[in-house]
Amino acid sequence: MTLDPSDMPSNSEADTATTSQRLRNFLVAMVAIALSIALFFGSRQQTEQPSLSALAADSTPIEIALTNQKPTLMEFYANWCTSCQAMADDMHSLKQEFSDQVNFVMLNVDNSKWLPEVLKFDVDGIPHFVYLDGSGEALASSVGQQPRQILADNLAALVAEDTLPTSKAMGQTSIFQPAVRGNQDDPRSHGGMPAGGI
């Protein structure tokens, strides 16, 4: 079989094919770089969601919340509580939206300092939310993971001094059993109470 010179690509056709291939390779490389950058920043954004500890550190101290005449949303939580963790973004955005009008108080149930409040508000599952009016009187509570909109509606009603639209709501919870006596075997106790309890 002999090759006909007219069947052979000319140099200009070969150059065009090579240039086209280089352009495709360049575009593929650019798309890969762009996707890598997007994934990097997307994963950074996901890991930078507010932590429960950061939210608690930025919350209003209970002593101030009970005396400043503003309504209060009190959240009982624990760092190990997956429902509490799942709500951290919503709680952060709600605090940004309502912080001028509402106190946001976070009480870690693992800290025995809050045992009187845990008992007073019958906390047996977390997250546990208590809505307090400006005088510190409990108006309603909800237990478990709550949709952001329910919390927002309740906070808006709290600010307006209206009846809360969802005053008793239940969601997914982490079971919490308050330790009335110090128990060094309890991994959540962190050695917070002396032997013999209160």
Side-chain angles (χ1 to χ4, degrees), residues 104-117:
F104 285 79
V105 174
M106 292 187 65
L107 304 178
N108 189 331
V109 297
D110 287 337
N111 186 338
S112 61
K113 173 183 179 178
W114 307 123
L115 184 59
E117 287 78 12

PDB file of all heavy atoms in Angstrom, residues 104-117:
ATOM      1  N   PHE A 104     -28.788  36.387  74.374  1.00  0.00           N
ATOM      2  CA  PHE A 104     -28.551  34.983  74.049  1.00  0.00           C
ATOM      3  C   PHE A 104     -27.640  34.426  75.133  1.00  0.00           C
ATOM      4  O   PHE A 104     -26.499  34.849  75.273  1.00  0.00           O
ATOM      5  CB  PHE A 104     -27.912  34.833  72.665  1.00  0.00           C
ATOM      6  CG  PHE A 104     -28.875  35.042  71.541  1.00  0.00           C
ATOM      7  CD1 PHE A 104     -29.241  36.324  71.147  1.00  0.00           C
ATOM      8  CD2 PHE A 104     -29.436  33.964  70.877  1.00  0.00           C
ATOM      9  CE1 PHE A 104     -30.143  36.525  70.116  1.00  0.00           C
ATOM     10  CE2 PHE A 104     -30.345  34.158  69.851  1.00  0.00           C
ATOM     11  CZ  PHE A 104     -30.696  35.439  69.473  1.00  0.00           C
ATOM     12  N   VAL A 105     -28.169  33.508  75.925  1.00  0.00           N
ATOM     13  CA  VAL A 105     -27.440  32.919  77.046  1.00  0.00           C
ATOM     14  C   VAL A 105     -27.237  31.447  76.740  1.00  0.00           C
ATOM     15  O   VAL A 105     -28.187  30.755  76.355  1.00  0.00           O
ATOM     16  CB  VAL A 105     -28.234  33.085  78.362  1.00  0.00           C
ATOM     17  CG1 VAL A 105     -27.549  32.350  79.504  1.00  0.00           C
ATOM     18  CG2 VAL A 105     -28.425  34.556  78.691  1.00  0.00           C
ATOM     19  N   MET A 106     -26.011  30.968  76.902  1.00  0.00           N
ATOM     20  CA  MET A 106     -25.727  29.552  76.696  1.00  0.00           C
ATOM     21  C   MET A 106     -25.152  28.974  77.982  1.00  0.00           C
ATOM     22  O   MET A 106     -24.172  29.498  78.513  1.00  0.00           O
ATOM     23  CB  MET A 106     -24.761  29.373  75.524  1.00  0.00           C
ATOM     24  CG  MET A 106     -25.387  29.745  74.201  1.00  0.00           C
ATOM     25  SD  MET A 106     -24.357  29.348  72.780  1.00  0.00           S
ATOM     26  CE  MET A 106     -24.307  27.566  72.847  1.00  0.00           C
ATOM     27  N   LEU A 107     -25.777  27.900  78.463  1.00  0.00           N
ATOM     28  CA  LEU A 107     -25.346  27.244  79.688  1.00  0.00           C
ATOM     29  C   LEU A 107     -24.973  25.796  79.373  1.00  0.00           C
ATOM     30  O   LEU A 107     -25.818  25.022  78.923  1.00  0.00           O
ATOM     31  CB  LEU A 107     -26.461  27.290  80.735  1.00  0.00           C
ATOM     32  CG  LEU A 107     -26.990  28.691  81.098  1.00  0.00           C
ATOM     33  CD1 LEU A 107     -28.123  28.584  82.101  1.00  0.00           C
ATOM     34  CD2 LEU A 107     -25.888  29.588  81.586  1.00  0.00           C
ATOM     35  N   ASN A 108     -23.729  25.462  79.617  1.00  0.00           N
ATOM     36  CA  ASN A 108     -23.220  24.122  79.339  1.00  0.00           C
ATOM     37  C   ASN A 108     -23.629  23.187  80.478  1.00  0.00           C
ATOM     38  O   ASN A 108     -23.232  23.392  81.625  1.00  0.00           O
ATOM     39  CB  ASN A 108     -21.687  24.174  79.197  1.00  0.00           C
ATOM     40  CG  ASN A 108     -21.106  22.880  78.697  1.00  0.00           C
ATOM     41  OD1 ASN A 108     -21.642  21.800  78.926  1.00  0.00           O
ATOM     42  ND2 ASN A 108     -19.982  22.972  78.010  1.00  0.00           N
ATOM     43  N   VAL A 109     -24.417  22.180  80.150  1.00  0.00           N
ATOM     44  CA  VAL A 109     -24.922  21.259  81.176  1.00  0.00           C
ATOM     45  C   VAL A 109     -23.810  20.444  81.818  1.00  0.00           C
ATOM     46  O   VAL A 109     -24.023  19.857  82.888  1.00  0.00           O
ATOM     47  CB  VAL A 109     -26.020  20.322  80.610  1.00  0.00           C
ATOM     48  CG1 VAL A 109     -27.234  21.120  80.158  1.00  0.00           C
ATOM     49  CG2 VAL A 109     -25.480  19.440  79.489  1.00  0.00           C
ATOM     50  N   ASP A 110     -22.640  20.398  81.215  1.00  0.00           N
ATOM     51  CA  ASP A 110     -21.513  19.677  81.804  1.00  0.00           C
ATOM     52  C   ASP A 110     -20.845  20.472  82.926  1.00  0.00           C
ATOM     53  O   ASP A 110     -20.017  19.939  83.638  1.00  0.00           O
ATOM     54  CB  ASP A 110     -20.475  19.330  80.736  1.00  0.00           C
ATOM     55  CG  ASP A 110     -20.944  18.214  79.825  1.00  0.00           C
ATOM     56  OD1 ASP A 110     -21.811  17.429  80.249  1.00  0.00           O
ATOM     57  OD2 ASP A 110     -20.437  18.118  78.693  1.00  0.00           O
ATOM     58  N   ASN A 111     -21.194  21.730  83.047  1.00  0.00           N
ATOM     59  CA  ASN A 111     -20.631  22.570  84.098  1.00  0.00           C
ATOM     60  C   ASN A 111     -21.594  22.543  85.285  1.00  0.00           C
ATOM     61  O   ASN A 111     -22.713  23.057  85.205  1.00  0.00           O
ATOM     62  CB  ASN A 111     -20.436  23.990  83.582  1.00  0.00           C
ATOM     63  CG  ASN A 111     -19.726  24.885  84.572  1.00  0.00           C
ATOM     64  OD1 ASN A 111     -19.713  24.630  85.763  1.00  0.00           O
ATOM     65  ND2 ASN A 111     -19.149  25.961  84.069  1.00  0.00           N
ATOM     66  N   SER A 112     -21.164  21.961  86.400  1.00  0.00           N
ATOM     67  CA  SER A 112     -22.051  21.811  87.559  1.00  0.00           C
ATOM     68  C   SER A 112     -22.484  23.155  88.131  1.00  0.00           C
ATOM     69  O   SER A 112     -23.443  23.219  88.900  1.00  0.00           O
ATOM     70  CB  SER A 112     -21.370  20.971  88.632  1.00  0.00           C
ATOM     71  OG  SER A 112     -20.174  21.611  89.072  1.00  0.00           O
ATOM     72  N   LYS A 113     -21.828  24.220  87.744  1.00  0.00           N
ATOM     73  CA  LYS A 113     -22.234  25.563  88.168  1.00  0.00           C
ATOM     74  C   LYS A 113     -23.683  25.854  87.774  1.00  0.00           C
ATOM     75  O   LYS A 113     -24.390  26.595  88.446  1.00  0.00           O
ATOM     76  CB  LYS A 113     -21.292  26.582  87.514  1.00  0.00           C
ATOM     77  CG  LYS A 113     -21.658  28.014  87.694  1.00  0.00           C
ATOM     78  CD  LYS A 113     -20.671  28.908  86.935  1.00  0.00           C
ATOM     79  CE  LYS A 113     -21.027  30.370  87.088  1.00  0.00           C
ATOM     80  NZ  LYS A 113     -20.038  31.219  86.401  1.00  0.00           N
ATOM     81  N   TRP A 114     -24.127  25.246  86.651  1.00  0.00           N
ATOM     82  CA  TRP A 114     -25.477  25.518  86.139  1.00  0.00           C
ATOM     83  C   TRP A 114     -26.510  24.509  86.618  1.00  0.00           C
ATOM     84  O   TRP A 114     -27.641  24.513  86.155  1.00  0.00           O
ATOM     85  CB  TRP A 114     -25.467  25.579  84.605  1.00  0.00           C
ATOM     86  CG  TRP A 114     -24.453  26.541  84.087  1.00  0.00           C
ATOM     87  CD1 TRP A 114     -23.423  26.270  83.225  1.00  0.00           C
ATOM     88  CD2 TRP A 114     -24.360  27.938  84.386  1.00  0.00           C
ATOM     89  NE1 TRP A 114     -22.694  27.407  82.982  1.00  0.00           N
ATOM     90  CE2 TRP A 114     -23.248  28.454  83.684  1.00  0.00           C
ATOM     91  CE3 TRP A 114     -25.092  28.805  85.190  1.00  0.00           C
ATOM     92  CZ2 TRP A 114     -22.862  29.786  83.754  1.00  0.00           C
ATOM     93  CZ3 TRP A 114     -24.709  30.130  85.273  1.00  0.00           C
ATOM     94  CH2 TRP A 114     -23.615  30.607  84.565  1.00  0.00           C
ATOM     95  N   LEU A 115     -26.149  23.645  87.560  1.00  0.00           N
ATOM     96  CA  LEU A 115     -27.088  22.644  88.056  1.00  0.00           C
ATOM     97  C   LEU A 115     -28.378  23.263  88.608  1.00  0.00           C
ATOM     98  O   LEU A 115     -29.467  22.755  88.325  1.00  0.00           O
ATOM     99  CB  LEU A 115     -26.428  21.727  89.087  1.00  0.00           C
ATOM    100  CG  LEU A 115     -27.297  20.575  89.591  1.00  0.00           C
ATOM    101  CD1 LEU A 115     -27.734  19.676  88.436  1.00  0.00           C
ATOM    102  CD2 LEU A 115     -26.545  19.768  90.648  1.00  0.00           C
ATOM    103  N   PRO A 116     -28.323  24.364  89.350  1.00  0.00           N
ATOM    104  CA  PRO A 116     -29.589  24.954  89.813  1.00  0.00           C
ATOM    105  C   PRO A 116     -30.512  25.345  88.656  1.00  0.00           C
ATOM    106  O   PRO A 116     -31.725  25.117  88.722  1.00  0.00           O
ATOM    107  CB  PRO A 116     -29.142  26.190  90.607  1.00  0.00           C
ATOM    108  CG  PRO A 116     -27.753  25.863  91.056  1.00  0.00           C
ATOM    109  CD  PRO A 116     -27.164  25.056  89.934  1.00  0.00           C
ATOM    110  N   GLU A 117     -29.957  25.894  87.580  1.00  0.00           N
ATOM    111  CA  GLU A 117     -30.762  26.266  86.419  1.00  0.00           C
ATOM    112  C   GLU A 117     -31.272  25.021  85.688  1.00  0.00           C
ATOM    113  O   GLU A 117     -32.405  24.987  85.217  1.00  0.00           O
ATOM    114  CB  GLU A 117     -29.965  27.164  85.467  1.00  0.00           C
ATOM    115  CG  GLU A 117     -29.759  28.577  85.967  1.00  0.00           C
ATOM    116  CD  GLU A 117     -28.659  28.714  87.024  1.00  0.00           C
ATOM    117  OE1 GLU A 117     -27.879  27.749  87.238  1.00  0.00           O
ATOM    118  OE2 GLU A 117     -28.591  29.785  87.651  1.00  0.00           O
TER     119      GLU A 117
END
